[in-house]
Amino acid sequence: MRQSHMILASRPWYDGMAERLEESTGDVFYRIATPAELETTDLDAIQPRYVFVPHWSWILPESIWGRFETIIFHMSDLPFGRGGSPLQNLIVRGFAETQVTALRCVAELDAGPVYLKRPLSLLGTAEEIFLRAAVQVEGMIRAILRDSPVPSPQNGVPSVFKRRAPKDGNMAELTTLAAAYDHIRMLDAEGYPPAFLEAGPFRLEFKRAALRHDRIEADVSITLASGCLQK
C-alpha cells in the first residue's frame, strides 16, 4: 500500500531527496523547508506515516510528534552529544568520526529511543560532512521503510552539547594551526556564520582552508567590523 511521509529539512543538501525516495520506494514524500511551510501544510490531509527530520533548526510542536511517528537524525552517537551544533562540538573535541543516530522525537531533547545508527566521517569542510550525512540519512530512511524497526531506549549516560552562537566563530584565542584549520572547516557551509578574526576596524572571515606543513591557506573576506563607519 502506498504511504505518505514528510521530510523536514531546511538545508540545500537535502534538495532532491523526496523525489529520489519516491522513485525508489513508490511512496509519496512531502519536503518542508521552513516553519512557515510547515504551519500551512494540511497534516490531516497528508496523514504521514513517518515525519523524517534530517536537519531542522526549530522546536517541533507536540501537535506533530505527538500525533505522527517523528524520526530525528542527529549527528552524534547518542546518548553522547545531545543538544545543539553536534558537528562543531565534535570537531572542537577532536573527533574524526561519529554516528548518525535516527531516534524518535519525544518531549525531552534528543532523548527518544533509537531506530538505527550509521557511521559518518568528520573529515573535510562542514558542507562536505553535511553532504555525506545526507547520503547516510537517505539510506537510513529506506532501511526504516523496508524493515519497520522498533526503536530501543538509549543506553548510557547522557551528555549534552551547548548550541554554538555566531560569536563562537572567533579564532582569537586559538594557539595552533591545527585548531585554526578545524575552526575554519567546521563552519564552512552554506548558511553558517564563518570563522573570523577582528583586527582594528576590520573583520576577516575565512573559508576553503587547506592545512600545509607550516601554514594555512584559505579564502579571506575582509569587511569593516560591526560599529565601524565607512569614511
Side-chain angles (χ1 to χ4, degrees), residues 120-146:
L120 179 69
S121 167
L122 294 175
L123 300 180
T125 66
E127 186 144 339
E128 290 169 343
I129 297 166
F130 284 132
L131 287 167
R132 287 198 297 270
V135 173
Q136 286 288 47
V137 166
E138 190 167 332
M140 294 167 80
I141 290 175
R142 289 195 183 95
I144 290 169
L145 295 178
R146 182 187 66 239

PDB file of all heavy atoms in Angstrom, residues 120-146:
ATOM      1  N   LEU A 120      29.804   8.020  10.282  1.00  0.00           N
ATOM      2  CA  LEU A 120      29.998   9.220   9.473  1.00  0.00           C
ATOM      3  C   LEU A 120      31.373   9.805   9.749  1.00  0.00           C
ATOM      4  O   LEU A 120      31.737  10.056  10.903  1.00  0.00           O
ATOM      5  CB  LEU A 120      28.925  10.267   9.807  1.00  0.00           C
ATOM      6  CG  LEU A 120      29.024  11.587   9.031  1.00  0.00           C
ATOM      7  CD1 LEU A 120      28.680  11.378   7.553  1.00  0.00           C
ATOM      8  CD2 LEU A 120      28.117  12.646   9.648  1.00  0.00           C
ATOM      9  N   SER A 121      32.156  10.044   8.692  1.00  0.00           N
ATOM     10  CA  SER A 121      33.450  10.697   8.818  1.00  0.00           C
ATOM     11  C   SER A 121      33.255  12.199   9.045  1.00  0.00           C
ATOM     12  O   SER A 121      32.366  12.828   8.460  1.00  0.00           O
ATOM     13  CB  SER A 121      34.275  10.478   7.544  1.00  0.00           C
ATOM     14  OG  SER A 121      35.408  11.334   7.517  1.00  0.00           O
ATOM     15  N   LEU A 122      34.124  12.774   9.873  1.00  0.00           N
ATOM     16  CA  LEU A 122      34.096  14.214  10.143  1.00  0.00           C
ATOM     17  C   LEU A 122      35.260  14.932   9.465  1.00  0.00           C
ATOM     18  O   LEU A 122      35.609  16.044   9.851  1.00  0.00           O
ATOM     19  CB  LEU A 122      34.129  14.462  11.647  1.00  0.00           C
ATOM     20  CG  LEU A 122      32.898  13.987  12.423  1.00  0.00           C
ATOM     21  CD1 LEU A 122      33.100  14.174  13.925  1.00  0.00           C
ATOM     22  CD2 LEU A 122      31.650  14.717  11.960  1.00  0.00           C
ATOM     23  N   LEU A 123      35.855  14.319   8.454  1.00  0.00           N
ATOM     24  CA  LEU A 123      36.919  14.970   7.702  1.00  0.00           C
ATOM     25  C   LEU A 123      36.326  15.919   6.660  1.00  0.00           C
ATOM     26  O   LEU A 123      35.226  15.701   6.160  1.00  0.00           O
ATOM     27  CB  LEU A 123      37.797  13.920   7.024  1.00  0.00           C
ATOM     28  CG  LEU A 123      38.495  12.922   7.958  1.00  0.00           C
ATOM     29  CD1 LEU A 123      39.324  11.943   7.142  1.00  0.00           C
ATOM     30  CD2 LEU A 123      39.348  13.633   9.001  1.00  0.00           C
ATOM     31  N   GLY A 124      37.070  16.967   6.330  1.00  0.00           N
ATOM     32  CA  GLY A 124      36.614  17.900   5.305  1.00  0.00           C
ATOM     33  C   GLY A 124      35.866  19.083   5.891  1.00  0.00           C
ATOM     34  O   GLY A 124      35.807  19.288   7.106  1.00  0.00           O
ATOM     35  N   THR A 125      35.293  19.893   5.004  1.00  0.00           N
ATOM     36  CA  THR A 125      34.538  21.064   5.448  1.00  0.00           C
ATOM     37  C   THR A 125      33.181  20.644   5.998  1.00  0.00           C
ATOM     38  O   THR A 125      32.697  19.531   5.750  1.00  0.00           O
ATOM     39  CB  THR A 125      34.308  22.038   4.285  1.00  0.00           C
ATOM     40  OG1 THR A 125      33.442  21.408   3.314  1.00  0.00           O
ATOM     41  CG2 THR A 125      35.612  22.430   3.609  1.00  0.00           C
ATOM     42  N   ALA A 126      32.542  21.562   6.715  1.00  0.00           N
ATOM     43  CA  ALA A 126      31.210  21.284   7.244  1.00  0.00           C
ATOM     44  C   ALA A 126      30.250  20.907   6.121  1.00  0.00           C
ATOM     45  O   ALA A 126      29.450  19.980   6.265  1.00  0.00           O
ATOM     46  CB  ALA A 126      30.688  22.491   8.013  1.00  0.00           C
ATOM     47  N   GLU A 127      30.343  21.607   4.993  1.00  0.00           N
ATOM     48  CA  GLU A 127      29.418  21.294   3.899  1.00  0.00           C
ATOM     49  C   GLU A 127      29.664  19.896   3.342  1.00  0.00           C
ATOM     50  O   GLU A 127      28.715  19.166   3.039  1.00  0.00           O
ATOM     51  CB  GLU A 127      29.537  22.340   2.788  1.00  0.00           C
ATOM     52  CG  GLU A 127      28.506  22.138   1.691  1.00  0.00           C
ATOM     53  CD  GLU A 127      27.989  23.443   1.114  1.00  0.00           C
ATOM     54  OE1 GLU A 127      28.104  24.487   1.771  1.00  0.00           O
ATOM     55  OE2 GLU A 127      27.461  23.396   0.001  1.00  0.00           O
ATOM     56  N   GLU A 128      30.926  19.493   3.222  1.00  0.00           N
ATOM     57  CA  GLU A 128      31.233  18.141   2.757  1.00  0.00           C
ATOM     58  C   GLU A 128      30.695  17.102   3.741  1.00  0.00           C
ATOM     59  O   GLU A 128      30.164  16.060   3.334  1.00  0.00           O
ATOM     60  CB  GLU A 128      32.747  17.990   2.587  1.00  0.00           C
ATOM     61  CG  GLU A 128      33.305  18.782   1.409  1.00  0.00           C
ATOM     62  CD  GLU A 128      34.816  18.854   1.410  1.00  0.00           C
ATOM     63  OE1 GLU A 128      35.440  18.588   2.465  1.00  0.00           O
ATOM     64  OE2 GLU A 128      35.396  19.186   0.364  1.00  0.00           O
ATOM     65  N   ILE A 129      30.815  17.383   5.032  1.00  0.00           N
ATOM     66  CA  ILE A 129      30.299  16.459   6.043  1.00  0.00           C
ATOM     67  C   ILE A 129      28.782  16.379   5.965  1.00  0.00           C
ATOM     68  O   ILE A 129      28.190  15.292   6.024  1.00  0.00           O
ATOM     69  CB  ILE A 129      30.762  16.897   7.443  1.00  0.00           C
ATOM     70  CG1 ILE A 129      32.288  16.833   7.546  1.00  0.00           C
ATOM     71  CG2 ILE A 129      30.119  16.020   8.527  1.00  0.00           C
ATOM     72  CD1 ILE A 129      32.853  17.549   8.756  1.00  0.00           C
ATOM     73  N   PHE A 130      28.132  17.520   5.835  1.00  0.00           N
ATOM     74  CA  PHE A 130      26.671  17.522   5.738  1.00  0.00           C
ATOM     75  C   PHE A 130      26.189  16.770   4.496  1.00  0.00           C
ATOM     76  O   PHE A 130      25.152  16.089   4.534  1.00  0.00           O
ATOM     77  CB  PHE A 130      26.141  18.957   5.711  1.00  0.00           C
ATOM     78  CG  PHE A 130      26.150  19.643   7.057  1.00  0.00           C
ATOM     79  CD1 PHE A 130      26.660  20.926   7.194  1.00  0.00           C
ATOM     80  CD2 PHE A 130      25.639  19.019   8.186  1.00  0.00           C
ATOM     81  CE1 PHE A 130      26.671  21.568   8.425  1.00  0.00           C
ATOM     82  CE2 PHE A 130      25.647  19.645   9.420  1.00  0.00           C
ATOM     83  CZ  PHE A 130      26.157  20.928   9.535  1.00  0.00           C
ATOM     84  N   LEU A 131      26.916  16.900   3.394  1.00  0.00           N
ATOM     85  CA  LEU A 131      26.539  16.172   2.185  1.00  0.00           C
ATOM     86  C   LEU A 131      26.668  14.660   2.392  1.00  0.00           C
ATOM     87  O   LEU A 131      25.805  13.892   1.953  1.00  0.00           O
ATOM     88  CB  LEU A 131      27.404  16.626   1.012  1.00  0.00           C
ATOM     89  CG  LEU A 131      27.086  18.015   0.447  1.00  0.00           C
ATOM     90  CD1 LEU A 131      28.194  18.491  -0.474  1.00  0.00           C
ATOM     91  CD2 LEU A 131      25.753  18.000  -0.286  1.00  0.00           C
ATOM     92  N   ARG A 132      27.743  14.235   3.068  1.00  0.00           N
ATOM     93  CA  ARG A 132      27.883  12.807   3.380  1.00  0.00           C
ATOM     94  C   ARG A 132      26.776  12.349   4.321  1.00  0.00           C
ATOM     95  O   ARG A 132      26.241  11.244   4.182  1.00  0.00           O
ATOM     96  CB  ARG A 132      29.255  12.531   4.014  1.00  0.00           C
ATOM     97  CG  ARG A 132      30.412  12.591   3.054  1.00  0.00           C
ATOM     98  CD  ARG A 132      31.638  11.888   3.628  1.00  0.00           C
ATOM     99  NE  ARG A 132      32.117  12.521   4.836  1.00  0.00           N
ATOM    100  CZ  ARG A 132      33.026  13.508   4.863  1.00  0.00           C
ATOM    101  NH1 ARG A 132      33.527  13.979   3.722  1.00  0.00           N
ATOM    102  NH2 ARG A 132      33.440  13.999   6.001  1.00  0.00           N
ATOM    103  N   ALA A 133      26.438  13.192   5.288  1.00  0.00           N
ATOM    104  CA  ALA A 133      25.362  12.848   6.220  1.00  0.00           C
ATOM    105  C   ALA A 133      24.031  12.689   5.485  1.00  0.00           C
ATOM    106  O   ALA A 133      23.238  11.799   5.808  1.00  0.00           O
ATOM    107  CB  ALA A 133      25.240  13.914   7.307  1.00  0.00           C
ATOM    108  N   ALA A 134      23.784  13.533   4.496  1.00  0.00           N
ATOM    109  CA  ALA A 134      22.531  13.443   3.740  1.00  0.00           C
ATOM    110  C   ALA A 134      22.431  12.110   3.006  1.00  0.00           C
ATOM    111  O   ALA A 134      21.348  11.519   2.925  1.00  0.00           O
ATOM    112  CB  ALA A 134      22.430  14.608   2.752  1.00  0.00           C
ATOM    113  N   VAL A 135      23.557  11.637   2.485  1.00  0.00           N
ATOM    114  CA  VAL A 135      23.567  10.326   1.822  1.00  0.00           C
ATOM    115  C   VAL A 135      23.227   9.229   2.829  1.00  0.00           C
ATOM    116  O   VAL A 135      22.428   8.321   2.542  1.00  0.00           O
ATOM    117  CB  VAL A 135      24.933  10.058   1.161  1.00  0.00           C
ATOM    118  CG1 VAL A 135      25.012   8.633   0.624  1.00  0.00           C
ATOM    119  CG2 VAL A 135      25.178  11.063   0.032  1.00  0.00           C
ATOM    120  N   GLN A 136      23.821   9.295   4.019  1.00  0.00           N
ATOM    121  CA  GLN A 136      23.521   8.307   5.052  1.00  0.00           C
ATOM    122  C   GLN A 136      22.058   8.366   5.463  1.00  0.00           C
ATOM    123  O   GLN A 136      21.398   7.335   5.632  1.00  0.00           O
ATOM    124  CB  GLN A 136      24.422   8.534   6.274  1.00  0.00           C
ATOM    125  CG  GLN A 136      25.867   8.107   6.092  1.00  0.00           C
ATOM    126  CD  GLN A 136      26.013   6.591   6.071  1.00  0.00           C
ATOM    127  OE1 GLN A 136      25.274   5.893   5.391  1.00  0.00           O
ATOM    128  NE2 GLN A 136      26.974   6.087   6.813  1.00  0.00           N
ATOM    129  N   VAL A 137      21.538   9.572   5.653  1.00  0.00           N
ATOM    130  CA  VAL A 137      20.145   9.735   6.069  1.00  0.00           C
ATOM    131  C   VAL A 137      19.198   9.126   5.039  1.00  0.00           C
ATOM    132  O   VAL A 137      18.233   8.432   5.394  1.00  0.00           O
ATOM    133  CB  VAL A 137      19.821  11.221   6.300  1.00  0.00           C
ATOM    134  CG1 VAL A 137      18.314  11.440   6.395  1.00  0.00           C
ATOM    135  CG2 VAL A 137      20.506  11.724   7.560  1.00  0.00           C
ATOM    136  N   GLU A 138      19.473   9.363   3.772  1.00  0.00           N
ATOM    137  CA  GLU A 138      18.611   8.813   2.722  1.00  0.00           C
ATOM    138  C   GLU A 138      18.588   7.285   2.782  1.00  0.00           C
ATOM    139  O   GLU A 138      17.523   6.658   2.673  1.00  0.00           O
ATOM    140  CB  GLU A 138      19.083   9.293   1.351  1.00  0.00           C
ATOM    141  CG  GLU A 138      18.115   8.966   0.233  1.00  0.00           C
ATOM    142  CD  GLU A 138      18.446   9.705  -1.052  1.00  0.00           C
ATOM    143  OE1 GLU A 138      19.030  10.808  -1.001  1.00  0.00           O
ATOM    144  OE2 GLU A 138      18.102   9.163  -2.142  1.00  0.00           O
ATOM    145  N   GLY A 139      19.758   6.682   2.974  1.00  0.00           N
ATOM    146  CA  GLY A 139      19.810   5.229   3.113  1.00  0.00           C
ATOM    147  C   GLY A 139      19.108   4.742   4.367  1.00  0.00           C
ATOM    148  O   GLY A 139      18.466   3.674   4.364  1.00  0.00           O
ATOM    149  N   MET A 140      19.210   5.496   5.448  1.00  0.00           N
ATOM    150  CA  MET A 140      18.549   5.124   6.696  1.00  0.00           C
ATOM    151  C   MET A 140      17.033   5.192   6.562  1.00  0.00           C
ATOM    152  O   MET A 140      16.311   4.350   7.100  1.00  0.00           O
ATOM    153  CB  MET A 140      19.042   6.024   7.833  1.00  0.00           C
ATOM    154  CG  MET A 140      20.510   5.811   8.168  1.00  0.00           C
ATOM    155  SD  MET A 140      21.224   7.094   9.248  1.00  0.00           S
ATOM    156  CE  MET A 140      20.618   6.546  10.848  1.00  0.00           C
ATOM    157  N   ILE A 141      16.549   6.190   5.846  1.00  0.00           N
ATOM    158  CA  ILE A 141      15.103   6.282   5.611  1.00  0.00           C
ATOM    159  C   ILE A 141      14.623   5.067   4.829  1.00  0.00           C
ATOM    160  O   ILE A 141      13.595   4.455   5.163  1.00  0.00           O
ATOM    161  CB  ILE A 141      14.758   7.592   4.870  1.00  0.00           C
ATOM    162  CG1 ILE A 141      14.967   8.793   5.808  1.00  0.00           C
ATOM    163  CG2 ILE A 141      13.314   7.559   4.351  1.00  0.00           C
ATOM    164  CD1 ILE A 141      14.774  10.140   5.136  1.00  0.00           C
ATOM    165  N   ARG A 142      15.366   4.676   3.805  1.00  0.00           N
ATOM    166  CA  ARG A 142      14.991   3.481   3.042  1.00  0.00           C
ATOM    167  C   ARG A 142      14.965   2.248   3.954  1.00  0.00           C
ATOM    168  O   ARG A 142      14.072   1.408   3.855  1.00  0.00           O
ATOM    169  CB  ARG A 142      15.961   3.259   1.887  1.00  0.00           C
ATOM    170  CG  ARG A 142      15.841   4.273   0.761  1.00  0.00           C
ATOM    171  CD  ARG A 142      16.569   3.782  -0.492  1.00  0.00           C
ATOM    172  NE  ARG A 142      16.523   4.777  -1.545  1.00  0.00           N
ATOM    173  CZ  ARG A 142      17.472   5.671  -1.787  1.00  0.00           C
ATOM    174  NH1 ARG A 142      18.562   5.677  -1.035  1.00  0.00           N
ATOM    175  NH2 ARG A 142      17.358   6.553  -2.757  1.00  0.00           N
ATOM    176  N   ALA A 143      15.965   2.140   4.837  1.00  0.00           N
ATOM    177  CA  ALA A 143      16.027   0.990   5.742  1.00  0.00           C
ATOM    178  C   ALA A 143      14.845   0.979   6.704  1.00  0.00           C
ATOM    179  O   ALA A 143      14.266  -0.085   6.986  1.00  0.00           O
ATOM    180  CB  ALA A 143      17.343   1.015   6.521  1.00  0.00           C
ATOM    181  N   ILE A 144      14.454   2.137   7.205  1.00  0.00           N
ATOM    182  CA  ILE A 144      13.310   2.221   8.122  1.00  0.00           C
ATOM    183  C   ILE A 144      12.019   1.827   7.406  1.00  0.00           C
ATOM    184  O   ILE A 144      11.191   1.084   7.946  1.00  0.00           O
ATOM    185  CB  ILE A 144      13.214   3.637   8.722  1.00  0.00           C
ATOM    186  CG1 ILE A 144      14.384   3.867   9.691  1.00  0.00           C
ATOM    187  CG2 ILE A 144      11.880   3.839   9.434  1.00  0.00           C
ATOM    188  CD1 ILE A 144      14.550   5.304  10.145  1.00  0.00           C
ATOM    189  N   LEU A 145      11.855   2.304   6.184  1.00  0.00           N
ATOM    190  CA  LEU A 145      10.650   1.952   5.422  1.00  0.00           C
ATOM    191  C   LEU A 145      10.624   0.470   5.085  1.00  0.00           C
ATOM    192  O   LEU A 145       9.559  -0.158   5.078  1.00  0.00           O
ATOM    193  CB  LEU A 145      10.589   2.791   4.148  1.00  0.00           C
ATOM    194  CG  LEU A 145      10.419   4.303   4.342  1.00  0.00           C
ATOM    195  CD1 LEU A 145      10.422   5.006   2.993  1.00  0.00           C
ATOM    196  CD2 LEU A 145       9.142   4.627   5.096  1.00  0.00           C
ATOM    197  N   ARG A 146      11.779  -0.096   4.822  1.00  0.00           N
ATOM    198  CA  ARG A 146      11.852  -1.517   4.454  1.00  0.00           C
ATOM    199  C   ARG A 146      11.654  -2.442   5.649  1.00  0.00           C
ATOM    200  O   ARG A 146      10.938  -3.437   5.572  1.00  0.00           O
ATOM    201  CB  ARG A 146      13.212  -1.791   3.810  1.00  0.00           C
ATOM    202  CG  ARG A 146      13.409  -3.241   3.333  1.00  0.00           C
ATOM    203  CD  ARG A 146      14.824  -3.473   2.860  1.00  0.00           C
ATOM    204  NE  ARG A 146      15.786  -3.366   3.949  1.00  0.00           N
ATOM    205  CZ  ARG A 146      16.793  -2.484   3.966  1.00  0.00           C
ATOM    206  NH1 ARG A 146      16.984  -1.646   2.964  1.00  0.00           N
ATOM    207  NH2 ARG A 146      17.622  -2.440   4.996  1.00  0.00           N
TER     208      ARG A 146
END
